[in-house]
Amino acid sequence: MKACWRPVLAEFMGTALLLCAVIGSGIMSERLAGGNVAVALLANTLATVFALYVLIETLGPVSGAHFNPLVSLTLGLRGRLLINTVAAQLLGAVAGAWLAHAMFGMDVIQTSQKLRDGPGLWLAETVATAGLIFVILRSPTGKAAAPVACYIGAAYWFTASTSFANPAAVLGRMLSDSFAGIAPASATSFVLAQCLGAWLGWRIARAFDEPASES
């Protein structure tokens, strides 16, 4: 019981650093890209992929390195949900956004004005989240870091939404009026699409786990 705080702290710290990487690299890339959105997105993608891989590798042995309420809830169906994990992730996302702002000399507390709406984006978030959950559940035990990081990196580019795939990420990015931000008015639809995607990803992964019926 004495060590029960460690997984919660790991989820808080991991989510904070992940959001700091996403938002901070978005700010840096936008400042340096000279208006070239493709270059900015590429830089944002690479920083996110590298940070995600390192965080999963270092914090995975402590908490499982979920950094995502839907991942925690999905794995909870397999008996591995920690009670305080989701709260730690949400608080970590807020802290990560504020930390990124502070490092770049911006107002720490802010709200995004970037609207991200439309059926295409909602479908993209469903696909992105379904794929993420599928990859996590189908990755070999202890070897999810590379598949997850690679999938997120790819999904940044093949989904119209740039693959948030994480309600905690939506919260953190909602509090950042930067390249990676999302307006509060767009957040609810994104989270609902992610919830649907998580369920689909879980169902598809489970289908592969079910034994084939005998003929």
Side-chain angles (χ1 to χ4, degrees), residues 5 19 36 49 55 73 97 104-105 110 112 129 140 154 160 163 170 175 183 191:
W5 57 269
L19 265 294
N36 190 321
V49 168
L55 290 171
L73 290 169
F104 284 92
Q110 52 185 269
S112 177
T129 311
S163 185
V170 172
L175 300 178
V191 172

Side-chain angles (χ1 to χ4, degrees), residues 41-112:
L41 182 59
L42 178 59
N44 190 212
T45 302
L46 292 174
T48 301
V49 168
F50 295 152
L52 184 56
Y53 177 82
V54 170
L55 290 171
I56 294 174
E57 283 288 292
T58 54
L59 296 176
V62 181
S63 68
H66 303 169
F67 315 142
N68 184 332
L70 291 177
V71 173
S72 295
L73 290 169
T74 301
L75 294 180
L77 298 178
R78 296 185 172 193
R80 288 179 280 177
L81 178 63
L82 297 175
I83 296 174
N84 297 319
T85 295
V86 171
Q89 292 161 350
L90 295 175
L91 290 173
V94 174
W98 289 352
L99 177 59
H101 298 157
M103 288 194 297
F104 284 92
M106 302 170 64
D107 291 336
V108 172
I109 299 176
Q110 52 185 269
T111 303
S112 177

Side-chain angles (χ1 to χ4, degrees), residues 90-171:
L90 295 175
L91 290 173
V94 174
W98 289 352
L99 177 59
H101 298 157
M103 288 194 297
F104 284 92
M106 302 170 64
D107 291 336
V108 172
I109 299 176
Q110 52 185 269
T111 303
S112 177
Q113 303 300 313
K114 184 174 289 187
L115 291 171
R116 298 177 187 261
D117 287 317
L121 295 182
W122 303 331
L123 176 60
E125 276 302 287
T126 302
V127 171
T129 311
L132 174 62
I133 297 299
F134 177 81
V135 169
I136 290 171
L137 294 179
R138 294 298 301 168
S139 293
T141 302
K143 297 182 179 180
V148 169
C150 288
Y151 174 78
I152 289 297
Y156 253 74
W157 288 84
F158 75 73
T159 64
S161 63
T162 66
S163 185
F164 286 46
N166 182 345
V170 172
L171 175 60

Side-chain angles (χ1 to χ4, degrees), residues 4 25 45 47 51 58 69 87 108 110-111 120 147 155 189 194 200 202:
C4 65
S25 64
T45 302
T58 54
V108 172
Q110 52 185 269
T111 303
S189 297
Q194 291 164 0
L200 288 172
W202 173 71

